[in-house]
Amino acid sequence: MGKATLTVKAKDTSRVYGEVNPVFAASYTGFKNSDNINSIGLSGSVDLSTGATQGSDAGVYAITASANGMSSKNYLFTPVNGQLTIGKATLTVAAQNATREYGVENPVFVPVYEGFKNGDDVAKAGLNREPGLSTSATIGTGVGQYDITTDITGVESKNYAIAARNAKGLLTISKAPLYVAAKNASRAYGEQNPAFEAVYTGFRNSDKLEAIGLIGAPEFSTNATESSPV
C-alpha cells in the first residue's frame, strides 16, 4: 500500500509597500481517515519564502513552498506556491501654508507630502505629475486667510495611492504698507501756518484714499510760528 499525497500550499497573503513581509502560512489538503496535521506524525516543516523584500515595488510575488525535509509514515508531500500581493502605500498631499501682502500676485504654492516609505521622496516615488494647488484669492482679494485646495486628479505613482489631506493649506494675505508724509508747504513771513496736507504712496490695485476705508487722519505739526523768521 502506497502513501497518500498531501498537498502543502503557501497561503496567499498581502501587505502594503514599505512594510515587512508577514509571517507566511501553509494550508494542507488531502488528509485521509480524519487525519490532521497533528496526527500524521509529521517530521520537519514546510519552508515558505519569497524574493520580495521590504523595498520591493507594488505587485504580485510568488511565495515558494518547499517540502524538502518533510516526512510522514502515511503521506507524501506536494508543495504548491502561493502569492504575496504588495499593495500601494497611501501618500497624502496638501499645500504648504503661504503668505503674501495685499495687492501682489499669489506665490507659487508648494505641495507637502506625508507617508513616504523606504526613505523615498518625490523623485523616488516617481509621480507622473505634481498635484494642482490653487486658491480663490486673486491679486485684488482683501486681507484674510484663504484655502489652498489640492487637485490630485490623474496623479499616479507605481508604489503609492495619492490622496488629498483633509487639512488644507492656508494663504494668509497681510496688509500692504501705505506710506504717508507731509506735503511740502509755504507761506509768507508773518502769516499763519497753512493747513498741512498728507501725501500717500504705496497704493495697490489702483486703490484711492477714499476707497480704502481709512479711519482717522495723520497729524502734522511744525515748530514754525507766525513770528518765525524767513
Side-chain angles (χ1 to χ4, degrees), residues 73-217:
K73 180 174 61 176
N74 295 321
Y75 290 93
L76 297 173
F77 298 92
T78 299
V80 176
N81 294 342
Q83 287 186 337
L84 169 66
T85 301
I86 300 179
K88 293 184 177 184
T90 298
L91 185 65
T92 61
V93 58
Q96 184 176 2
N97 292 340
T99 61
R100 69 166 173 87
E101 289 181 353
Y102 166 74
V104 298
E105 296 285 355
N106 290 329
V108 176
F109 300 129
V110 178
V112 179
Y113 299 90
E114 289 184 3
F116 284 120
K117 306 287 187 179
N118 296 324
D120 288 346
D121 54 20
V122 175
K124 291 180 181 178
L127 271 63
N128 61 329
R129 70 171 183 83
E130 285 197 346
L133 305 174
S134 61
T135 182
S136 61
T138 67
I139 193 171
T141 301
V143 169
Q145 288 189 319
Y146 302 87
D147 287 339
I148 306 171
T149 57
T150 305
D151 179 11
I152 59 171
T153 304
V155 182
E156 297 179 351
S157 166
K158 176 172 58 178
N159 292 319
Y160 293 94
I162 313 301
R165 278 204 299 281
N166 290 333
K168 296 179 180 179
L170 284 177
L171 170 65
T172 300
I173 300 177
S174 60
K175 292 183 177 182
L178 187 63
Y179 303 98
V180 59
K183 186 176 182 180
N184 292 336
S186 63
R187 67 169 173 83
Y189 170 74
E191 294 182 353
Q192 292 184 339
N193 291 328
F196 299 126
E197 298 179 25
V199 177
Y200 298 88
T201 56
F203 285 114
R204 306 277 174 86
N205 298 323
S206 301
D207 286 342
K208 304 293 184 182
L209 181 62
E210 58 271 16
I212 67 171
L214 183 66
I215 298 174

Side-chain angles (χ1 to χ4, degrees), residues 28-104:
Y28 299 84
T29 56
F31 288 114
K32 307 294 184 180
N33 300 322
S34 301
D35 285 342
N36 60 51
I37 195 65
N38 298 315
S39 67
I40 65 172
L42 177 64
S43 175
S45 60
V46 62
D47 180 41
L48 304 173
S49 62
T50 182
T53 66
Q54 186 172 355
S56 295
D57 292 334
V60 179
Y61 299 82
I63 304 172
T64 303
S66 174
N68 292 338
M70 297 182 71
S71 64
S72 170
K73 180 174 61 176
N74 295 321
Y75 290 93
L76 297 173
F77 298 92
T78 299
V80 176
N81 294 342
Q83 287 186 337
L84 169 66
T85 301
I86 300 179
K88 293 184 177 184
T90 298
L91 185 65
T92 61
V93 58
Q96 184 176 2
N97 292 340
T99 61
R100 69 166 173 87
E101 289 181 353
Y102 166 74
V104 298

